[in-house]
Amino acid sequence: MNKKCNILSFSEKEKACEDTFGANGPYWHLFTNGNTMQNIFCNEEDFKTGMWCLAAALHLNIAIRGITFELMSNHVHLILAGNLEECIKVFEFFSARLKQAFSKRKRPIEWSQFKMNILPIETLQALRNEIIYVNRNAFVANSMYTPDSYPWGGGCAYFSPWLKHIKTTPLGNLKVNSQRALLHTRDVAPFSQLLEVGGMPFIPSFCDIKLGESMFRDARIYFNSLTRNAEAFSQIASRLKDSIFLTDDELYSVICSHISKEYSVKTPAQLNAQQKIDTARQMHFGYNASNQQLRRMLRLDLSILEELFP
């Protein structure tokens, strides 16, 4: 970390973030709908293919900077900086390259459902929240991961000093056949400067992690934001029409805060039947809590929840 940053005041750090935000936009959240798309990435080989396709798409379009991303089994999230039309081109290239790569596999995929949506991000705080939301995506869906350990997204590269110790290889230094196998194309010349590590594209070589980091005053505020912004996550999920966006632990904390204010009790076990149902409604509509989450948190019968929220 830059030592000079430590002697800046809060307002000076915030102004530096605002200046960087103003100088590098516009910003976009590009995503696909996992509710209508079948699983694309089912194993490590699939995810590696997706990573190379995305790396190629971002590397080839120098007008667009990727700030972070997350590849999930049936959908993707990209936070991008640049012109809208160029962002669309990035997705079109990425999608076309995926179709080409997966056509050689025996598993049929209905690509007509792999459609992009793109929404503008208009303020610095909104961009911070969207970066955090994307970097949390796999962590919320899979208890095996933390926001900085998921290998198929940009979050593992944020504020990670170990990155400079990783030995990488320019893709152009590999044998041509190896390059073609990774990129799933014969024309590998435009990608010679992409960096490779362990058969994967090195994330900072195609995603502008430093730009994303510069939107936060420091690493501490980034880290704290990963689990302390349920209201913002709720708003983003509503914008994206996403489903679950809080882990059980996070939802339980929200429930405890809610029932403390509403009923002056500390735990869900102290609620009566009607209070549990009213709390379930609040969590379902306000925080997209699933019926299974509500069953676990509030100890309500699943049949009651399915009747309330079919």
Side-chain angles (χ1 to χ4, degrees), residues 67-70 134-135 147 150 152-158 203 207 209 222:
I67 294 177
T68 196
F69 67 95
E70 202 99 322
V134 169
N135 288 352
Y150 187 66
W152 320 115
C156 62
Y158 267 66
I203 290 171
C207 191
I209 300 299
Y222 169 81

Side-chain angles (χ1 to χ4, degrees), residues 236-302:
I236 295 171
S238 176
R239 217 164 73 110
L240 306 184
K241 296 180 174 58
D242 243 346
S243 52
I244 297 172
F245 59 88
L246 294 179
T247 66
D248 280 7
D249 288 340
E250 291 170 336
L251 181 63
Y252 187 78
S253 178
V254 171
I255 288 174
C256 288
S257 176
H258 172 75
I259 64 178
S260 175
K261 293 175 183 176
E262 290 295 317
Y263 308 114
S264 299
V265 300
K266 293 183 178 180
T267 68
Q270 296 173 276
L271 299 173
N272 62 38
Q274 186 59 52
Q275 289 170 341
K276 286 185 177 183
I277 289 174
D278 290 343
T279 300
R281 286 195 175 98
Q282 177 67 26
M283 295 303 113
H284 174 83
F285 293 112
Y287 296 91
N288 280 22
S290 70
N291 286 351
Q292 287 293 349
Q293 284 183 310
L294 293 172
R295 178 187 64 81
R296 293 191 293 269
M297 300 295 105
L298 296 172
R299 296 187 180 181
L300 280 169
D301 191 276
L302 186 59

Side-chain angles (χ1 to χ4, degrees), residues 13-21 24 27 65 67 124 127-128 131 158-159 208-218 222:
K13 289 181 180 180
E14 190 68 7
K15 185 179 185 305
C17 294
E18 289 282 5
D19 290 345
T20 302
F21 175 84
N24 290 280
Y27 304 92
R65 278 175 291 176
I67 294 177
L124 172 61
L127 179 57
R128 289 169 173 165
I131 291 170
Y158 267 66
F159 296 101
D208 196 341
I209 300 299
K210 291 298 181 185
L211 178 59
E213 290 176 343
S214 69
M215 300 300 165
F216 299 87
R217 293 188 298 276
D218 49 43
Y222 169 81

Side-chain angles (χ1 to χ4, degrees), residues 8 30-31 34 41 51 58 61 71-72 79-80 83 91 94-95 114 122 136 143 149 214 219 246 292:
L8 295 177
L30 188 155
F31 60 99
F41 310 111
M51 291 284 283
L58 286 170
N61 194 323
L71 303 187
M72 303 293 287
I79 303 296
L80 304 172
N83 180 273
F91 179 80
F94 171 56
S95 177
F114 191 63
E122 296 176 338
R136 281 171 43 93
S143 61
S149 71
S214 69
L246 294 179
Q292 287 293 349

Side-chain angles (χ1 to χ4, degrees), residues 191-209:
F191 310 105
S192 62
Q193 295 307 306
L194 269 175
L195 299 181
E196 177 270 346
V197 56
M200 289 264 290
F202 184 55
I203 290 171
S205 74
F206 68 89
C207 191
D208 196 341
I209 300 299

